[in-house]
Structure formats: structure tokens, C-alpha cells
Amino acid sequence: MTTGVKDDRDVRSVVQAAVTRHGATQEALIPVMAEVNQALGYLPAQALEEIGKSLRLPSSHLVSVASFYRMFSTQPRGRHVIQFCESAPCHVMGGRELLRALEGELGLVPGATSADGRWTLLTASCLGVCGVGPVVIVDGDIYGAVTPERVPEILARYP
Amino acid sequence: MKPVRSMVLVSSDPESIQKGAQEVFQRLQQEVQAFGLEEEIAAAMVGDVGRHDAIPLLIVYPEAVIYGPVKPDDVRFLVEEHLLKGRIAAGLQAPARELSGRIAWLSARKGTLPAEQRIVLERAGLIDPEDIEDYIAHNGYEAVGRALSEMTPAEVIEEITRSGLRGRGGAGFPTGTKWRFVAKTQSDTKYIICNADESEPGTFKDRLILEGDPHSIIEAMTLAGYAVGAHEGYIYVRGEYGLAQERLGKAIQQARQMGFLGEDIFGSGFAFDIHIHSGAGAYICGEETALIESIEGKRGEPRSRPPFPTTYGLWGKPTVVNNVETLANVPPIIRNGAAWYRRFGTSSSPGTKVYTVLGSVNVTGLIEVPMGITLREVIAIYGKGMKRGTSFKLAQTGGSSGSIIPASLQDTPMDFDSFARAGVSLGSGALLICNDDTCVVDLATVLLNFFRGESCGKCTPCRIGTERTHQILTNLSEGIGKLSDLDDLLVLADGLNQLSNCGLGQTAAAPIRDILKHFRAEVEAHVRLKVCPTGVCSMSGRQAKAA
Ligand SMILES: Cc1cc2nc3c(=O)[nH]c(=O)nc-3n(C[C@H](O)[C@H](O)[C@H](O)COP(=O)(O)O)c2cc1C
């Protein structure tokens, strides 16, 4: 995961590569955004502008799409993104206690990024690994059946 | 495929990968070579095997011996003992009592457990999903071969109609009828969409089909395309399903190379090809018109209907949208005939249903069983009973758009019509089994919190209704509710149901109506006595006031 403000040239080349791969049609918008978001860690305003120019779409359309989907962010995120599942199957397996432990350990409420830029804590609807609730995903790594006691040890793996 | 003596499968669902399945698999290949067994032993990573208690799992066929959790350093011993010397690698077997899902089915064949009925998961976990030849060796592409050479498109639709197949995406709409609508509509361009957005909390059956048997979906979509006259298909896969997308991509590649996709399939002159479209995180995109908007590069906001996608779908063209599990039933029906299919399940709902069994049972996991089985049977036989010292209070079916089913309805056959008569819904196949420690107010609050977050916000009844009901439920759980709140909840529930534009808002209030119908006394206790009978709710508002 990368953070920080990107310089213009970076952004432009990432957008160009994505447009070349997926095409310059409206149909390609979401795949292009996904790739840019992945490469830059988020979708800076300049990236939206570049995508809009390439795909010939108005900026209102870009903002409306970028703000709709959970996997896109228009704000920089922490070096590590923690997703916590708050859906019913995880909830009944002890999800609530786990969220409290995460909030306490990180000193963050869901949606916030820590001042040192290390963490972003997000709550998510179902992550699709319900067999092993409660579930936490840190960056791409999935942790199942997580107890509050395991939280410090898991977080320590992500400096 | 060359014949081999043993087949070794390694579980590779995300959780297994996280726990080192990849390293186990690499070591397995190294050790098999080191012992010179590569001619005799085949190995594959097979996605989710429906069991998560001892992963990564390693299963050796044909004996169906299950090892787990296996660490990379165990592999050498395991290969030497089992594959070379032919005896069980002592101490590495997975605990035998927790049999579930696909493995339960295997054990059933060995006569130790009641049989599941596998139609759509027939091959998942048995074949190498990245090898088209393995699929072909297990009757793969036989149905499409037969249809293209021996059947007219109308005959394919007729066979599906007679099978009684109904959509597994939640609504239970007859698949043959849907296909007929699209076939009838005149248009130079039509589309087939496979709905693999699977975001209902508690549901991961489609992921298992996609990871374990991707070619079956390609074959089914090709059959659908032939039946309705479409030449292009899209698979809309949930953004989080990376492995499924990768496997589908490989499968499409292989199918093109072998001529099962592309121009002139089986020399019939019929052309068909498939694209994968990844979702980007939005539950509402499982709704078919929101999904179509999303493929078109827009916000996933549902369209007003009619017109339905069958006449006005992707890019305004007639479009079939079917769920993954629905499609996975198609090739077996064409291969074996409608009469064969009707032998399973009930007369109104033939076939099987895949369920994810979750919550306070001893064994959680994935099962495929005939339609019409009861909750009691699922809990007792496949769940191996409730967890020690707890009793069954309610089940939440079908993810969030399902129902809350009280224990008193546990003998209702689980099929579309029996459930509709009992006023409950089967939904997407999640069965969250809750014990007597579950508070219904707390559960409903969590469910409404989900809808509140996932409402796309386009229509007011849903945007405001989910927000207000969630607020009232929160008040109840904090001990600051009023009796009139319960009336308000019902009024809001009616508004959501009758005024919302799509299924999300229409079903969002189902949990509220269910708890007030079946557990009213427990809800009222939160108001009249300011007590949560199960002790789950914080009732913190009340304490704050008293302090
Ligand atoms: C809010 C909402 C979410 C849905 N999510 C899914 C889903 O994830 N997968 C799915 O197959 N159908 C989903 N559906 C149902 C689809 O709209 C559609 O009915 C289904 O894909 C049709 O396929 P079938 O006839 O094979 O069931 C959803 C519906 C609603 C209202």
C-alpha cells in the first residue's frame, strides 16, 4: 500500500497505463479506477481529472462513481488498511468485542486514519469468509476466528 | 489426462492461503519429485473444501484421507508415509468428528454419514480447476456438445423449463421462463450475465463453485447463449473474490484455445465469448439492474422496472441475468434430462440447494442437499447439533434479505413454496443458526445497520427508512425506547416494503416484522422492563440517565 501525495507525472503514467489496458470507453471506467486506486493507494483529484480526460467523461460522473464503491477512496489511506466485518454472522461470533479491542488498540474509530499514517480502520459489510468469523482483513491478509486477545499480536506484524 | 495412482488436493481458500497452503503445495511438489513419484501422483490446489477448522487441508484420493492442519515441514513425512509406503501418516490427520461440506459427502460415500446430494458441487474439490482436461474427463463440455449438435435452441429452453429449475439468486424465478422471454424478444444483440456478486452476509456458495469448478459456469453460459440467441456474456464477480477471478480468467483462456468459446463452437456455426467484470465493493450491485449499470461504468443504482432486463438490459439489449448456482445446474440438466433432475427436491422446487451453515452449531460449512429438507435436519445431521449447552432459538436465512425463522418453524420444508406459505424466505442460502444467547433486538439492529450502509440512496423511502428504523432499534437496545416506537417500526416497515424502488428496501424491514411477529415479548421487555432478557444489549442509555 502506498501513501502520500503523488507527483503529477506518477499519476499521469499510472492512468495512461490503466487506460491502455482497459480501453478508453465508459465501460472501462470501473476497471480503470480499480487499477489506479490499487497503484496509488487512493484516487487523488488529479487522477480523476486525467481519467475523465481520457474517457471523455464529465468530472461529476467521475466523482459520483468514485464515491459510490467501497473499494475506491478519494482520500489517502494509512500504510495498512484494516477491514473489520460487521455483518451478522461475524457479529454473533463475537464481532462486537473484537471491534472494541481494535478501536482501543489503535485509538481509532471506524473510517479514521491514524496521525502517523500507519493505520486506516474501516468497517465493511460481509467480506465473504463467513465460515471463520469474526473476520479481519489487514491489507490483503485474512484473519479468521479472531479473539480480542490476538489483536496486539496481529497488529505487530504490520510495522 | 494420464491415469495416476493418487490425487492429492490442497485447500486454497483465502484462509488456507493465509495459513501457508501455497508453501505446503510447493513442498508437496518438491517431495513428490524427490521420491520419484511424479508419474504416479497428481496434485492440485482446489479452493475452498467447505471445512475451515483444520486448514490448510490436504486430501488424498482415492482413499479420501484428510490431513490438516498441514505445515510445510510435515509434508516430507506425509509423502513418505502415505504416498510412498502406503500407510496413514500418523498424527497428521484432521480431527474426524468435524466432518462437513464436501468432505461429509465423501465420507457419505464411504458409508459413515447421511448423503448430501451433489449436483452443482459435483466436481468442486474433486478436480483440478485450472485444468480443462480434468473437467472434460468428468463429463465437462458434454452438455454443450450435445445441445449444439442435437438440440435446437427451443429444445434447450424446453428442457430447462420442464426441469422446473428456479433461480437461486434469491427470488426463485423459473429459469426456463426467463430464457423464453429473452429468446422471444427480437434483437440483433443479446447478452448473458452471470451474477457472481455474492455479497449477502453469510453466503459464499458461489465463490466455492467459481473456485472449484469454473468451467461449469462457462459451459452453462454458452448453453444459455445458444438457447436465447446471445453471443456475448459477462461474469460480474465480486471485487473481493480474487482467486475466483483468476481461475475464471484461466478457464476462459483454456476454453478459447480448445474451441469451446469463440467462433463456430463444435463446428455448429454458433459463436460465443465471455468477459469478466470485477465489482468494486457495493452490495447493491447484486441487484440485477444495478449490476447492469455498474458494467456500463456507472454508479450501481437500480433502474425502475419495467422494463425488465429480459427486454431492456445491458446497453438496452435483451439480457438474461442468472445466479452462479442457477447456472451450475444447467449442464447437468441438459446432460441427464429434466426427468432425472425432477427426482431430486420437491415438486415445486426440484433439485438441490447449497447452504452455508453458520453460527452455534458444532460443524459449520457448506452443504448441498435436496430442496425440501428441514432446518431441524440441517442442524441435527449436518451441523452435528447445537454447540454444547445451548439450544436453538432462531435461524436467519438467506443473508440479510432472508427471514428470521423461530424454532417453531424448524420443521417447515425448505423449498420456495413451503417457505412462502409460512411467510418466510429462503433467500440466498445462508443459514445463520442462533442459540438462546442471541437477542433479537441486537440482531435486527445489526441487520438494519447493514441495509443502512448499503442502501444506494437513490430512492427516499429506502434511504430514510433504513436510517430511521436503525435509530429506533438502537434506542431499544440502549433502554431508551418507547412503546409507540414499536408501532412506528411497523409503519416504517410497511413504507419500506411498499414504496422502495428495489428489493433492497423492499426486504430490509423483514427482520423487524419477523421479530415483532415471533418475539414480541422479548422486544417489549426492552421497553416495558428496560431489560434485555439475554443480557446482550448494553441498555447504556438508561444507566446514563440514572447516573
Ligand atoms: C439488494 C439485492 C441484492 C442481490 N444480490 C444478489 C447476489 O449477490 N447474487 C445474485 O445472484 N442475485 C442477487 N440478487 C438477485 C438478482 O437481482 C437477480 O434476481 C438474480 O441474479 C437472478 O438470477 P436467478 O434467476 O438465477 O436467481 C439481489 C437482489 C437484490 C434486491
Side-chain angles (χ1 to χ4, degrees):
Chain A
M1 195 95 4
T2 29
T3 44
V5 181
K6 300 295 159 206
D7 82 45
D8 295 359
R9 232 186 27 227
D10 277 2
V11 172
R12 200 167 304 134
S13 63
V14 167
V15 169
Q16 285 321 320
V19 171
T20 310
R21 186 178 344 266
H22 299 286
T25 59
Q26 176 167 333
E27 183 184 357
L29 176 59
I30 293 170
V32 167
M33 277 191 177
E35 187 171 322
V36 174
N37 195 93
Q38 170 81 28
L40 301 176
Y42 74 112
L43 294 169
Q46 201 220 334
L48 292 184
E49 207 176 292
E50 296 280 345
I51 297 173
K53 266 192 261 166
S54 300
L55 271 53
R56 294 174 196 281
L57 293 168
S59 66
S60 59
H61 187 87
L62 289 150
V63 174
S64 89
V65 171
S67 59
F68 186 83
Y69 296 95
R70 198 169 47 234
M71 289 165 87
F72 301 151
S73 169
T74 51
Q75 300 298 322
R77 285 180 171 168
R79 276 203 308 286
H80 304 293
V81 177
I82 305 176
Q83 289 178 281
F84 165 82
C85 172
E86 57 175 0
S87 293
C90 284
H91 179 80
V92 302
M93 300 306 284
R96 187 209 315 249
E97 292 72 25
L98 177 59
L99 180 59
R100 282 210 197 101
L102 277 169
E103 289 174 340
E105 193 70 27
L106 297 165
L108 289 178
V109 293
T113 299
S114 62
D116 63 0
R118 181 173 169 199
W119 302 111
T120 297
L121 176 63
L122 301 175
T123 54
S125 300
C126 191
L127 300 164
V129 265
C130 325
V132 289
V135 173
V136 172
I137 300 188
V138 186
D139 301 341
D141 306 335
I142 299 171
Y143 296 92
V146 181
T147 54
E149 295 74 47
R150 270 184 69 201
V151 166
E153 176 251 321
I154 292 174
L155 296 184
R157 299 183 197 184
Y158 301 88
Chain B
M1 233 185 47
K2 57 187 186 308
V4 291
R5 176 165 61 86
S6 292
M7 178 84 187
V8 186
L9 305 178
V10 179
S11 68
S12 59
D13 53 290
E15 173 89 350
S16 292
I17 299 276
Q18 162 69 18
K19 293 193 171 158
Q22 191 75 48
E23 294 79 54
V24 168
F25 185 68
Q26 276 161 8
R27 282 290 280 275
L28 179 66
Q29 289 177 318
Q30 288 162 8
E31 297 299 344
V32 164
Q33 282 214 334
F35 285 108
L37 295 171
E38 60 270 34
E39 290 295 312
E40 296 167 57
I41 312 285
M45 300 188 71
V46 286
D48 193 322
V49 293
R51 172 175 174 174
H52 295 115
D53 64 301
I55 52 181
L57 281 178
L58 194 150
I59 310 173
V60 186
Y61 291 96
E63 307 90 305
V65 176
I66 305 157
Y67 295 103
V70 179
K71 292 190 283 304
D73 288 344
D74 298 334
V75 173
R76 187 182 171 83
F77 175 69
L78 200 152
V79 170
E80 181 171 351
E81 286 297 299
H82 195 135
L83 299 177
L84 190 70
K85 298 180 181 163
R87 58 193 189 206
I88 301 284
L92 290 178
Q93 270 182 285
R97 60 191 165 83
E98 296 209 27
L99 290 169
S100 73
R102 128 131 248 102
I103 303 167
W105 172 77
L106 288 165
S107 310
R109 291 205 308 190
K110 298 169 80 75
T112 50
L113 258 192
E116 285 183 62
Q117 184 60 51
R118 295 256 168 178
I119 295 176
V120 309
L121 293 174
E122 187 185 17
R123 297 185 207 86
L126 258 187
I127 63 165
D128 177 353
E130 299 194 358
D131 181 0
I132 192 171
E133 293 188 14
D134 209 0
Y135 179 72
I136 295 167
H138 290 81
N139 305 323
Y141 291 109
E142 191 183 311
V144 84
R146 175 174 314 166
L148 261 49
S149 50
E150 296 168 18
M151 297 167 84
T152 65
E155 282 167 352
V156 173
I157 295 181
E158 178 60 22
E159 200 67 28
I160 297 297
T161 306
R162 279 196 293 123
S163 76
L165 175 63
R166 297 171 66 165
R168 305 293 199 249
F173 192 82
T175 306
T177 309
K178 188 182 283 189
W179 289 16
R180 188 154 43 78
F181 286 155
V182 175
K184 250 183 13 199
T185 309
Q186 291 298 328
S187 174
D188 49 353
T189 312
K190 300 177 183 179
Y191 296 102
I192 307 294
I193 294 178
C194 169
N195 187 342
D197 193 48
E198 186 161 73
S199 312
E200 293 274 13
T203 314
F204 50 90
K205 62 182 178 73
D206 295 345
R207 173 165 64 83
L208 203 126
I209 297 170
L210 297 172
E211 285 176 2
D213 198 10
H215 283 285
S216 68
I217 298 304
I218 294 172
E219 181 171 11
M221 289 176 72
T222 309
L223 284 164
Y226 178 67
V228 307
H231 301 289
E232 220 175 325
Y234 283 82
I235 309 180
Y236 188 96
V237 192
R238 183 176 176 174
E240 286 86 348
Y241 284 4
L243 181 62
Q245 293 186 16
E246 198 185 306
R247 294 236 161 115
L248 280 170
K250 282 189 191 155
I252 289 172
Q253 220 47 56
Q254 293 173 350
R256 282 181 190 145
Q257 276 161 13
M258 295 272 233
F260 295 126
L261 284 177
E263 304 295 324
D264 195 19
I265 300 169
F266 279 105
S268 65
F270 175 67
F272 194 74
D273 206 354
I274 297 176
H275 316 279
I276 301 174
H277 190 102
S278 170
Y283 166 70
I284 190 62
C285 288
E287 197 281 336
E288 56 192 15
T289 60
L291 184 156
I292 288 171
E293 291 280 299
S294 182
I295 295 184
E296 293 182 1
K298 298 183 238 165
R299 286 167 78 89
E301 288 175 352
R303 299 174 176 171
S304 296
R305 299 176 301 172
F308 292 94
T310 45
T311 48
Y312 190 90
L314 184 61
W315 313 113
K317 302 295 183 189
T319 302
V320 171
V321 183
N322 272 139
N323 170 258
V324 172
E325 185 186 347
T326 313
L327 286 169
N329 278 288
V330 167
I333 291 172
I334 297 300
R335 221 168 52 229
N336 303 310
W340 165 84
Y341 191 70
R342 281 194 164 275
R343 299 212 313 254
F344 310 103
T346 62
S347 62
S348 74
S349 311
T352 59
K353 181 78 194 79
V354 184
Y355 294 102
T356 41
V357 185
L358 307 164
S360 345
V361 285
N362 285 314
V363 180
T364 59
L366 196 119
I367 57 172
E368 179 178 351
V369 290
M371 282 275 189
I373 191 171
T374 65
L375 258 179
R376 186 190 297 279
E377 289 168 312
V378 168
I379 295 171
I381 299 173
Y382 304 100
K384 295 263 155 234
M386 296 296 292
K387 280 206 173 125
R388 214 183 154 86
T390 65
S391 56
F392 174 53
K393 176 172 180 174
L394 60 89
Q396 210 251 320
T397 62
S400 288
S401 56
S403 294
I404 290 178
I405 302 185
S408 58
L409 288 177
Q410 65 179 308
D411 293 311
T412 311
M414 292 201 283
D415 66 45
F416 292 110
D417 292 359
S418 310
F419 258 38
R421 272 197 302 277
V424 285
S425 99
L426 204 56
S428 61
L431 296 174
L432 178 60
I433 310 293
C434 298
N435 64 23
D436 37 14
D437 293 335
T438 308
C439 169
V440 295
V441 172
D442 180 61
L443 182 63
T445 312
V446 170
L447 295 174
L448 264 299
N449 186 44
F450 172 78
F451 290 123
R452 187 176 69 123
E454 296 293 344
S455 169
C456 77
K458 181 182 178 188
C459 79
T460 320
C462 175
R463 183 178 68 240
I464 308 280
T466 51
E467 196 65 44
R468 283 203 56 202
T469 48
H470 177 258
Q471 185 56 51
I472 294 176
L473 288 165
T474 306
N475 288 349
L476 296 180
S477 73
E478 290 178 354
I480 51 174
K482 306 187 293 288
L483 269 185
S484 63
D485 283 345
L486 307 190
D487 297 332
D488 289 349
L489 278 177
L490 286 175
V491 172
L492 286 164
D494 278 346
L496 272 166
N497 178 243
Q498 291 163 15
L499 304 174
S500 298
N501 181 42
C502 85
L504 190 151
Q506 287 159 14
T507 56
I512 295 176
R513 278 190 291 190
D514 291 343
I515 65 169
L516 286 172
K517 182 165 164 199
H518 301 295
F519 299 96
R520 178 135 192 148
E522 184 182 337
V523 180
E524 284 194 9
H526 287 73
V527 181
R528 291 182 188 275
L529 309 174
K530 305 285 179 216
V531 160
C532 173
T534 54
V536 171
C537 294
S538 70
M539 297 312 214
S540 55
R542 185 167 164 265
Q543 281 150 16
K545 246 189 216 163

